[in-house]
Amino acid sequence: MKKIIILLSVFCVGCKTQSVMVKPTGLVVDKAMVVSAREEASKIGVEIMNKGGNAFDAMVATELALAVAYPYAGNLGGGGFMVYRKANGETGTLDYREKAPLAATKDMFLDDKGNVIKGKSTTTALAIGIPGTIAGVFEVHKKLGSLPIEEILKPVIELAERGVIVTNKQEKRLNEYRNELIKINGVNSLLSTVFKENDTIKYPALAATLRRISKNGRDEFYKGETAKILVQYLQEKGAIITMEDLAKYEAKWRTPLTFKYKDLKIISMPPPSSGGICLAQIFKMIAPYDLEKMGHNSSKSIQVIVEAERRAYADRSYFLGDPDFVKIPLKALMADDYLKQRMANFNFDKATLSSDIKEGNVNYNESTETTHYSIVDQFGNAIAATTTLNAGYGSKYYCDALGFFLNNEMDDFSTKPGEPNMFGLVGNEANSIAPQKRMLSSMTPTIVEKNEKLFMVVGSPGGSTIITSVLQTILNVYEYSLSMQEAVNAPRFHHQWLPDLITFEPNTFDTKTFDILKSKGYKINEKTTPVIGKVDAILVLPNQTLEGGADFRGDDKAVGF
Ligand code: DON
C-alpha cells in the first residue's frame, strides 16, 4: 500500500497532498448546503432537502426563490446555465440561456450608416431575449427531480405572498435604479415605490404567476395564460417576441466542458457560455508556473494569471458563439501545444501588449447583476447554477401583471464586429445576431473534483469578470491554501485582453505590487469597479463536511444541515 502511495505521488507532478487541513472560516455543516445571494432563497433550498428532496429539487426552489427575494438578478424573465455532478460521478449541464426572437436580425441595433445605436441593445424592449428560466427548472425537475413540483414551489409562493425584507444593500440598489425603473414602468409599478431597509415587499402578482405555473406546468409560461399576458405586454412595449417564440423555446442538455488542472478535474459550462473554455485555457496556460511559491496575489502570480487571461479573452472574442450556429474549434483551443505556444512570448520582465495580440480599444464596467448559487445535498449530488437578467433588473421592463422583470440579454451578442458590449467585451461573426440563436455568455457555473471525488462547487456573477473570479477562487483554495470563505473574500483582479488594463478591487492590493507591475508596463485600473464578482461556493473538507463561502460583497448566505 505504501509503495502505491509513493508511486502515485511521484507520477502526479505538481499535485497537492493537502497534508495540513486548512481551518474552515465559513459555515460548516455535515450533509447539505445552499449558498446563494439571499438567505431566504438558501433557506428554501435547504428546507426542500430537509424534506427529503435532492439537490435538483432544491435547485428549482432556490432558482425561483431568488426570482422573489433577489429581483435584481433572480428571475423568471431571464435565463441561465446549470452544471451538475451526481453522487455516482455522472455529470451534465443544462443550457436555459435566452434566445434571439424569430424576428431578430443581424443589424437590428445599427443605424443606416451601420453604427451601433447607443442603448438600443440594453434599455429598449428589443433588448429582451426569449426567457429560458421556467423551461430550465422544469427540465431539471423532469429528468432529475424527486419531489412533486407543487411541494417544491409551495414555500416559494408563500415567500412571494408573505414578502421579503429589504436589506441595506437592496435599499441602495433600488435607490440607484429608481429613476430608470420609473422612466420605463411609470410611478405605479411595484419597484418604482420607495422602499427602505427593513420594509417588507410583497409580490402578489408574482405569487399568482407562480401558482398558475405550479398548477399547469411549464407550458403555462410558454403557451398558457401567462404567455398571452407576457406577449401582449411585450408587444405594447415594442418588443418583437411572439407566442411562436415562446412556444418554440427549449432548454438544452449539453455535454460538460471538462479538463484537468494538476490533480483536479474541472467540470464547467460549454458554449454558448465562454466560461468553461476560457477557464480551461487559462488553467492550462498557468499550469507550468509554480503559483504557490510565487505567493497569493504577488506581482509574479498576478503577471502569470493576467497574461493567460489576456490570451484567452482574445480567443473568446474571435472564436466563440452559439455552437448550434457556429463551429467552434474547442479541441484546438484547449490543446496543450497550442496553449504552450500561446504563452511562449511571455516573460516576467515586461507585459505583453494586447495590441500585439490583436488590436482594439474599449471601455467597460464590472458589476454583479447576475446571480450564482451552489448546492450540495445529503446524497452527495452537487449543482452549480448561474442565472441572469444581464444588467441589474435586466432591461428594467417590469411586467406588473405577472410580477417579474425581463432581461436585456440581446446585448450579449456582438451587435457589430469589434464593438464592445456593456462589459467591454468585443465579439465577431461567431457571436452575431440570428433568429433563435443564443448569445455568448461568460457565466461559469463550475464543479471541481479531486481524486475523483467532489471537491468544490463554485460560480459568480460579474459579466466578463465571472471567469476570472471563478479561476481565482479555485486557485485560492488549491494553490494558496485558503479556506473556502477566505478564498471567496480575498481581493480579486481581472484582465480581459481589451481594454489592456488589470482591474483591481480598489484599496485591497499593496501599492508596492502596483509599482512592480507598472515598471513592467502593466496598466493598473482601480477606478471602474467597486467589486469583481460575487462568488458563492461550497468546499468538501477532508472529513467530508461542507464549508460554505458566501460572498460578503453582497447579502449572500450559506445555509445547511
Ligand atoms: O451571460 C453573461 O455573461 C452576462 N449576461 C452576465 C451578466 C452579469 O454577470 C451581470 N453582472 N454583472
Side-chain angles (χ1 to χ4, degrees):
M1 187 65 192
K2 235 185 203 165
K3 246 188 211 158
I4 295 173
I5 293 171
I6 293 166
L7 274 179
L8 278 178
S9 52
V10 168
F11 282 117
C12 191
V13 181
C15 296
K16 307 271 154 189
T17 45
Q18 204 142 53
S19 45
V20 199
M21 177 167 155
V22 177
K23 199 170 170 289
T25 55
L27 175 74
V28 176
V29 298
D30 288 335
K31 290 187 181 144
M33 181 179 268
V34 179
V35 191
S36 84
R38 283 289 302 231
E39 184 170 10
E40 292 82 348
S42 300
K43 271 187 171 161
I44 285 181
V46 168
E47 180 187 327
I48 292 295
M49 295 192 287
N50 234 329
K51 278 189 184 158
N54 62 20
F56 304 100
D57 299 320
M59 181 218 160
V60 175
T62 307
E63 174 99 16
L64 296 179
L66 283 167
V68 178
Y70 194 61
Y72 184 60
N75 64 81
L76 264 65
F81 297 116
M82 181 272 254
V83 176
Y84 72 84
R85 180 186 184 279
K86 285 168 66 171
N88 65 8
E90 190 187 312
T91 61
T93 79
L94 184 68
D95 167 357
Y96 54 104
R97 179 73 161 167
E98 300 91 324
K99 293 176 87 166
L102 288 160
T105 58
K106 189 172 168 187
D107 296 338
M108 63 189 277
F109 299 119
L110 306 184
D111 65 16
D112 297 347
K113 298 201 182 82
N115 297 320
V116 172
I117 301 169
K118 211 169 168 266
K120 199 167 179 185
S121 66
T122 51
T123 53
T124 72
L126 291 175
I128 304 169
I130 307 161
T133 297
I134 292 297
V137 295
F138 273 87
E139 192 60 36
V140 169
H141 184 255
K142 186 169 80 185
K143 181 166 166 172
L144 299 157
S146 68
L147 296 180
I149 200 80
E150 296 80 7
E151 196 173 337
I152 298 171
L153 293 196
K154 192 167 171 269
V156 182
I157 295 168
E158 283 167 4
L159 178 69
E161 279 166 348
R162 190 171 67 241
V164 183
I165 294 173
V166 176
T167 64
N168 179 271
K169 289 194 171 88
Q170 189 179 11
E171 177 189 328
K172 288 197 184 125
R173 268 197 308 271
L174 284 168
N175 286 342
E176 191 187 320
Y177 283 86
R178 183 159 304 107
N179 286 342
E180 275 181 86
L181 294 178
I182 290 176
K183 203 167 117 201
I184 298 232
N185 304 304
V187 287
N188 296 322
S189 181
L190 180 63
L191 291 175
S192 301
T193 317
V194 177
F195 288 106
K196 296 245 171 283
E197 186 179 358
N198 294 324
D199 284 353
T200 297
I201 310 182
K202 293 187 178 184
Y203 298 92
L206 181 54
T209 301
L210 289 169
R211 210 175 300 110
R212 285 197 306 276
I213 291 172
S214 174
K215 184 162 163 249
N216 303 327
R218 150 204 206 286
D219 279 358
E220 169 62 32
F221 190 90
Y222 292 96
K223 294 177 182 162
E225 186 190 340
T226 303
K228 285 186 197 128
I229 299 171
L230 181 59
V231 167
Q232 196 189 346
Y233 168 81
L234 288 170
Q235 292 189 348
E236 271 165 23
K237 300 293 175 190
I240 49 175
I241 293 176
T242 60
M243 287 299 283
E244 189 185 356
D245 279 314
L246 287 181
K248 272 181 110 100
Y249 185 88
E250 303 258 353
K252 217 166 165 173
W253 296 100
R254 296 191 188 271
T255 308
L257 193 140
T258 56
F259 60 94
K260 298 276 286 182
Y261 174 72
K262 301 184 180 175
D263 60 347
L264 299 182
K265 181 178 170 195
I266 299 180
I267 303 149
S268 193
M269 196 64 211
S273 178
S274 61
I277 174 74
C278 288
L279 201 61
Q281 286 195 309
I282 298 168
F283 265 116
K284 281 169 176 258
M285 283 189 270
I286 65 179
Y289 300 86
D290 192 345
L291 291 181
E292 184 183 14
K293 197 161 151 215
M294 291 173 194
H296 180 237
N297 281 352
S298 66
S299 63
K300 280 198 146 177
S301 278
I302 293 172
Q303 272 191 283
V304 170
I305 294 168
V306 158
E307 293 299 348
E309 288 173 355
R310 184 199 309 281
R311 287 156 176 82
Y313 277 84
D315 281 353
R316 178 195 195 279
S317 145
Y318 189 76
F319 292 106
L320 304 188
D322 182 346
D324 296 344
F325 283 72
V326 289
K327 254 200 135 66
I328 302 174
L330 275 188
K331 272 214 178 106
L333 288 172
M334 281 169 67
D336 293 336
D337 285 352
Y338 168 69
L339 293 167
K340 199 168 150 205
Q341 171 260 321
R342 216 51 189 136
M343 282 296 266
N345 62 350
F346 160 62
N347 72 65
F348 280 102
D349 300 334
K350 202 165 175 290
T352 310
L353 295 179
S354 287
S355 53
D356 288 347
I357 294 188
K358 208 179 169 197
E359 279 176 310
N361 193 14
V362 288
N363 283 311
Y364 70 110
N365 285 301
E366 306 84 358
S367 41
T368 55
E369 301 129 356
T370 294
T371 192
H372 172 85
Y373 54 95
S374 295
I375 304 180
V376 175
D377 72 15
Q378 65 276 32
F379 312 110
N381 303 305
I383 283 180
T386 315
T387 180
T388 190
L389 290 163
N390 197 24
Y393 306 109
S395 61
K396 322 290 183 275
Y397 282 92
Y398 186 80
C399 178
D400 274 282
L402 297 174
F404 60 83
F405 282 105
L406 277 309
N407 69 83
N408 60 352
E409 220 71 63
M410 292 294 283
D411 187 63
D412 271 349
F413 278 116
S414 169
T415 50
K416 183 182 172 184
E419 198 71 35
N421 74 357
M422 74 160 102
F423 302 106
L425 290 167
V426 286
N428 265 292
E429 197 48 44
N431 188 31
S432 63
I433 304 174
Q436 296 286 291
K437 192 174 173 185
R438 287 176 157 102
M439 48 302 270
L440 185 64
S441 173
S442 302
M443 292 190 285
T444 316
T446 298
I447 295 179
V448 185
E449 278 179 17
K450 191 174 172 189
N451 304 325
E452 283 156 38
K453 295 213 176 75
L454 180 65
F455 181 60
M456 192 191 290
V457 186
V458 57
S460 178
S464 53
T465 70
I466 292 173
I467 301 164
T468 50
S469 299
V470 168
L471 172 89
Q472 287 170 80
T473 308
I474 299 172
L475 289 175
N476 287 350
V477 169
Y478 184 73
E479 294 289 0
Y480 304 117
S481 301
L482 302 190
S483 75
M484 186 73 265
Q485 186 63 57
E486 286 166 347
V488 165
N489 291 354
R492 292 192 272 265
F493 59 91
H494 170 76
H495 196 294
Q496 61 177 44
W497 174 49
L498 296 174
D500 193 349
L501 298 168
I502 316 178
T503 300
F504 292 87
E505 289 184 303
N507 312 316
T508 56
F509 283 78
D510 195 347
T511 50
K512 275 199 212 111
T513 307
F514 288 166
D515 292 342
I516 298 170
L517 290 169
K518 279 185 202 155
S519 75
K520 296 182 176 186
Y522 290 95
K523 290 197 198 81
I524 307 294
N525 168 31
E526 277 191 292
K527 290 200 188 98
T528 57
T529 181
V531 300
I532 293 177
K534 192 158 73 67
V535 176
D536 283 341
I538 301 175
L539 183 67
V540 182
L541 302 176
N543 65 1
Q544 299 309 304
T545 58
L546 307 171
E547 182 191 357
D551 207 317
F552 76 95
R553 294 163 181 85
D555 294 317
D556 305 46
K557 190 87 179 169
V559 178
F561 60 84

